[in-house]
Amino acid sequence: MLRYFIFSGFFLFSLFLNAQEKSLLWKVSGNGLEQESYLFGTIHLLPKGDYLWTDTMDAALKASDLLVMEIDLSELSLKDKLAMAQDVIIPDGKTLEDLMGPESYEAWVRLMVDSLDLRERKVRKRYQRIQPFYLQGLILNDYLGRVKMYEKELEKIARRKKIPVTGLESIEFQMSLVKGLSMEDQLDMLSDITSIQEYFTMLDLYKKQDLNALEEFSVLSMTEANDGLFMMDFVEKRNRDWVPKIEELIRKQSCFIAVGALHLPGEVGVIQLLREQGYQVEPVLTQD
């Protein structure tokens, strides 16, 4: 389940692509557009040494009039940040041990310490009040060490180049999706240690810019975990909501649209949905 948090851009992949279409960067043109725009697939969190950003990607962003992300982090107010911090906390003053029960909690602590080599004090103190869904990302961050986030890096470039930034949805909407998950489902996600192993498999495919293989692996993982409904709510429905907004934006100016790589490929991926609206969406070779 960690793949949703990381690859769908949650602070969160299905027309199969041709084998040669290996790129994270896609050009959008045609259908009456006066200028080209770009789609870029991100990964929310990755080791600093694995950060992938080529000259071609950089040129595409710097040539754009607007940076579009899932949410505009620069527009978050103090009230938004306080609300986010509150929503991340387990409600009613409870702890992770309260939710799991003493026996299951102790087994989980041992799993974190023995399998991920995390310090026991950190596991017991730092993680005790965080909701399981959000805790997945925190654990991965601690496990990876020095990390980068595309959202922050792209925002830095846009700020230096004085490129405006906007978002496709609000932070309140993203938080509401998590609120729709039961605590039992969140705990199931948290206890699945294979998510860490899946992350590294998907990270390798991401660095190869192989969306086809990335989707195939994701679909297989979802089938084994019975996550179909989760996929529809967190990816497919949002893709359909985004496309009209993307169309409105790209008709006005050249946009660099950066969303989680999970959202790009597939029959209900942003690439295919834009193609169905009459746009040409083509991979841009970025091996430079």
Side-chain angles (χ1 to χ4, degrees), residues 3-5 7-10 12-14 70 169 173 177 218 222 227-242 260-266 268-270 273:
R3 58 188 172 272
Y4 298 112
F5 186 94
F7 285 88
S8 66
F10 231 72
L12 244 252
F13 290 103
S14 290
E70 295 185 25
E169 58 194 18
F173 174 75
L177 295 176
S218 178
M222 286 187 299
D227 291 338
L229 291 177
F230 190 93
M231 173 71 166
M232 289 179 63
D233 286 340
F234 277 70
V235 180
E236 295 180 3
K237 289 182 180 178
R238 293 168 70 206
N239 291 351
R240 293 188 186 279
D241 288 341
W242 288 351
L262 180 64
H263 293 280
L264 292 187
V268 196
V270 173
L273 292 176

Side-chain angles (χ1 to χ4, degrees), residues 215-226:
E215 183 199 22
E216 289 177 348
F217 182 82
S218 178
V219 169
L220 177 62
S221 299
M222 286 187 299
T223 300
E224 293 175 348
N226 296 317

Side-chain angles (χ1 to χ4, degrees), residues 149-183:
M149 294 176 58
Y150 273 101
E151 293 85 353
K152 289 186 177 180
E153 297 303 318
L154 297 180
E155 186 183 4
K156 288 178 185 177
I157 296 172
R159 187 164 58 244
R160 287 198 302 267
K161 300 299 293 184
K162 294 182 169 52
I163 299 171
V165 182
T166 192
L168 292 170
E169 58 194 18
S170 67
I171 187 61
E172 291 84 4
F173 174 75
Q174 287 199 350
M175 302 292 275
S176 72
L177 295 176
V178 180
K179 290 178 181 179
L181 283 171
S182 70
M183 199 58 69

